[in-house]
């Protein structure tokens, strides 16, 4: 089955944008000789190509010498000087097998030479062997990579000709070498949000933050006749990027990146293909590019036309899109890494050239927020309170009845059934959001499934509860307690793991301390009530004067215990509500 050429090109550029060609195996770039490094080639070559002769006959060998300032990679071909768009001609012989290697471009074996590693070099010598069907005029071309984003494409070399042919054509300068390049300037001060919602369409996170602060992510668009001026800033020493998308998922998007490369910011456009590294464009249509790096904040700005029909992958800016804003790390050579946290995504479709607005965004999808909120409600409030009631309020509420059952039992059952309902709804939401199982959530989904199973098993087991005085009642009580306790422990561990997943990612280290505080609060309340119950029993046992006094003391102890437990339960519920509200506020702000 033949693979379409476009698909091959997509794969090649995607791979190259991630790792480049450090081993020199650049056969995929045989035709264009353009490295997929996501930037435009330099204009004025610093390197030269020389040969030891100007004439050749079929079978002759010509020495080709490449020299200039330090460079990491190179790619040399010989082509028909009158038709440089045609495939390479002739073959090469190596002079230095340690630093160079032969490649096959098209159907011609050994028709190109490239580097073997990124080791810096200043010169390279190879030998070209003229084929039997050589064209009348042959020109040598070279692509030189000084650094990942600094390279020259198809540097024109000498033209060699067969004897007794018409004069050589004028030295050909390749289109890549003369591609337009827009000047880059330096931003003198932080951006301003004073025009947001008035003349600018702005996205800020946190909401209404100052772009000059070290914690503010800022993106603005200002329409100027047929173009849009864009400003982007945020706390990053690697890269900032934003993208226009038709939905809230990565893939098929129009992206713009500002990458810190050796303390200089490179601004480029890219296409996003599903959940993968961006496919950087070799050229872009951005104008008035400027940048600034100061105090850990990266700023960049540029202008682009609202419509760019000549540039594939660039969206028309007079339509509505979801807008993504993301930050991440980058290597010294400008290679970007996957962002560690969820992108900031607008909650709806927006037209940046329409009515100016000042909006925020969310790094957590709504379904994931609902998942976290429901789990917190279930396992911080309803379960915890239900356990305390069942364990310590049997003697306190044993004489009170609700719908024909003891009050403590009805309250306990109501809270536990609420937990089952909330957990079941919450359990389904991530699967709806992901469309299936998540492979990037670690142990969280596995433990979540275990909690869900125990949550369903617990009420089913309670439905077969033996009568109070049945021989198997003690065995049931033990299983009921152990299943519930296991579910609660696993639920807490699962919440610990889920709080730091990229899809939610509550603020660190606050979320960890808050969860530890809740566990300590619950355990402390449990221990306090256990100690209190033990003291009441001991107090009653010490009174042995007469039966009346014992009964009076037990009655007094019972009243005292009831009041104390009710006060503790009230304080405990208030404390749980405080923890719950804190977590819900945190979820709402991500």
């Amino acid at each position: 089955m033949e693979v379409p050429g476009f698909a091959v090109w997509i794969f090649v550029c995607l791979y190259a944008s991630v790792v480049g060609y450090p081993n020199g195996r650049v056969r995929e770039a045989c035709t264009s000789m353009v490295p997929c490094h996501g930037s435009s080639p330099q204009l004025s070559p610093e390197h030269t190509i020389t040969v030891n002769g100007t004439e050749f006959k079929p079978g002759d060998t010509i020495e080709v010498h490449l020299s200039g300032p330090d460079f990491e990679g190179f790619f040399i071909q010989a082509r028909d000087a009158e038709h440089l768009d045609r495939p390479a001609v002739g073959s090469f012989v190596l002079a230095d097998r340690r630093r160079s290697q032969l490649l096959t471009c098209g159907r011609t074996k050994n028709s190109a030479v490239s580097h073997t590693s990124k080791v810096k070099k200043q010169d390279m010598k190879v030998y070209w062997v003229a084929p039997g069907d050589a064209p009348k005029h042959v020109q040598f071309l070279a692509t030189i990579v000084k650094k990942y984003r600094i390279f020259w494409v198809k540097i024109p070399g000498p033209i060699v000709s067969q004897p007794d042919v018409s004069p050589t054509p004028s030295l050909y300068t390749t289109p890549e070498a003369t591609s337009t390049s827009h000047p880059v300037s330096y931003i003198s001060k932080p951006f301003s949000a004073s025009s947001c919602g008035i003349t600018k369409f702005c996205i800020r996170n946190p909401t209404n933050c100052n772009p000059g602060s070290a914690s503010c992510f800022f993106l603005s668009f200002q329409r100027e006749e047929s173009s849009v001026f864009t400003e982007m800033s945020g706390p990053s020493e690697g890269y900032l990027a934003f993208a226009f998308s038709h939905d809230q998922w990565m893939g098929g998007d129009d992206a713009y990146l500002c990458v810190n490369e050796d303390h200089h910011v490179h601004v480029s456009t890219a296409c996003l293909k599903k959940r993968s590294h961006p496919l950087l464009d070799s050229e872009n249509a951005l104008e008035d590019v400027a940048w600034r790096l100061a105090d850990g904040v990266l700023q960049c700005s540029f202008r682009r036309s609202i419509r760019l029909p000549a540039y594939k992958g660039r969206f028309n800016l007079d339509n509505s899109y979801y807008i993504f804003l993301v930050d991440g790390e980058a290597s010294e050579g400008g290679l970007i890494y996957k962002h560690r946290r969820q992108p900031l995504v607008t909650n709806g479709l927006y037209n940046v050239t329409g009515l100016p607005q000042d909006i925020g965004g969310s790094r957590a999808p709504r379904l994931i927020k609902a998942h976290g909120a429901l789990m917190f409600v279930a396992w911080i409030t309803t379960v915890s309170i239900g356990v305390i009631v069942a364990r310590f309020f049997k003697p306190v509420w044993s004489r009170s009845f609700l719908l024909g059952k003891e009050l403590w039992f009805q309250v306990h059952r109501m809270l536990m059934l609420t937990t089952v309902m909330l957990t079941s709804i919450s359990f389904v939401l991530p699967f709806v959001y992901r469309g299936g199982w998540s492979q990037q959530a670690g142990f969280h989904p596995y433990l979540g499934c275990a909690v869900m199973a125990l949550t369903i098993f617990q009420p089913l087991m309670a439905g077969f509860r033996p009568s109070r005085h049945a021989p198997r009642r003690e065995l049931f009580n033990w299983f009921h307690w152990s299943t519930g306790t296991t579910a609660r422990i696993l639920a807490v561990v699962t919440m610990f793991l889920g709080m730091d997943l990229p899809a939610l990612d509550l603020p660190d280290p606050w979320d960890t301390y808050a969860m530890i505080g809740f566990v300590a609060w619950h355990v402390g309340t449990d221990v306090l009530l256990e100690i209190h119950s033990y003291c009441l029993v001991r107090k009653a046992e010490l009174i042995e004067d007469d039966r009346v006094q014992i009964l009076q003391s037990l009655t007094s102890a019972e009243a005292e215990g009831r009041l104390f437990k009710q006060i503790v339960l009230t304080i405990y519920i208030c404390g749980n509500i405080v923890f719950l509200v804190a977590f819900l506020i945190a979820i709402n702000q991500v």
Side-chain angles (χ1 to χ4, degrees), residues 84-309:
L84 288 178
D85 57 338
R86 291 181 179 178
V89 297
S91 59
F92 287 91
V93 177
L94 300 180
D96 186 347
R97 296 182 178 275
R98 183 177 58 85
R99 299 190 303 162
S100 59
Q101 61 182 328
L102 297 172
L103 299 176
T104 297
C105 284
R107 299 180 180 179
T108 307
K109 187 176 182 180
N110 301 336
S111 56
V113 185
S114 73
H115 55 283
T116 57
S117 70
K118 292 174 60 178
V119 175
K120 294 186 183 300
K121 48 195 84 67
Q122 292 184 338
D123 63 90
M124 183 57 59
K125 182 170 66 174
V126 296
Y127 299 99
W128 178 73
V129 180
D133 57 349
K136 295 178 181 180
H137 307 286
V138 173
Q139 184 172 19
F140 295 97
L141 304 175
T143 290
I144 300 294
V145 177
K146 183 177 182 179
K147 297 175 65 174
Y148 184 77
R149 292 189 184 276
I150 303 177
F151 57 87
W152 295 261
V153 174
K154 290 184 180 178
I155 298 175
I159 295 177
V160 294
S161 307
Q162 296 194 44
D164 302 324
V165 296
S166 58
T168 61
S170 302
L171 189 65
Y172 184 81
T173 303
T174 62
E176 289 85 357
T178 59
S179 61
T180 59
S181 178
H182 304 291
V184 177
S185 59
Y186 188 76
I187 300 171
S188 60
K189 60 182 180 180
F191 297 135
S192 172
S194 59
S195 299
C196 289
I198 303 173
T199 60
K200 291 181 180 179
F201 183 99
C202 298
I203 301 172
R204 292 192 271 177
N205 180 256
T207 305
N208 297 324
C209 65
N210 182 0
S213 70
S215 60
C216 181
F217 288 92
F218 176 78
L219 178 63
S220 73
F221 304 91
Q222 186 169 7
R223 181 167 184 168
E224 299 174 353
E225 296 181 352
S226 62
S227 65
V228 174
F229 185 71
T230 302
E231 298 173 326
M232 178 167 56
S233 67
S236 176
E237 295 184 356
Y239 70 90
L240 290 175
F242 75 91
F244 297 108
S245 179
H246 296 290
D247 52 38
Q248 292 183 301
W249 292 93
M250 288 181 60
D253 306 328
D254 178 12
Y256 301 80
L257 297 90
C258 298
V259 184
N260 179 6
E261 179 187 345
D262 298 332
H263 305 291
H264 285 73
V265 176
H266 180 84
V267 182
S268 62
T269 56
C271 293
L272 300 181
K273 302 295 181 180
K274 297 184 178 180
R275 299 177 64 86
S276 61
H277 281 75
L279 187 63
L280 302 178
D281 298 328
S282 59
E283 59 178 351
N284 57 59
L286 306 182
E287 302 176 351
D288 298 336
V289 176
W291 60 270
R292 181 175 185 255
L293 282 171
D295 302 322
V297 176
L298 188 156
Q299 294 176 253
C300 63
S301 62
F302 57 86
R303 186 188 316 278
R304 62 147 283 188
S305 298
I306 294 176
R307 291 178 174 268
L308 292 170

Side-chain angles (χ1 to χ4, degrees), residues 467-546:
S467 61
R468 182 170 299 180
H469 301 292
R472 292 178 298 173
R473 182 58 182 257
E474 185 175 349
L475 182 63
F476 165 81
N477 289 341
W478 188 89
F479 271 111
H480 189 62
W481 174 86
S482 60
T483 301
T485 302
T486 302
R488 290 165 58 208
I489 293 174
L490 288 179
V492 170
V493 174
T494 306
M495 287 190 291
F496 263 113
L497 296 176
M499 291 186 301
D500 291 327
L501 288 177
L504 190 59
D505 196 18
L506 297 183
D508 283 324
W510 174 90
D511 56 348
T512 302
Y513 294 151
M515 184 58 70
I516 291 174
F518 164 71
V519 172
W521 173 253
H522 178 77
V523 172
T525 302
D526 199 301
V527 170
L528 177 63
L529 290 173
E530 284 284 3
I531 294 174
H532 177 260
S533 298
Y534 175 78
C535 291
L536 284 180
V537 173
R538 290 293 298 162
K539 182 178 181 180
E541 290 177 351
L542 291 175
I543 304 174
E544 299 178 356
D545 291 346
D546 54 63

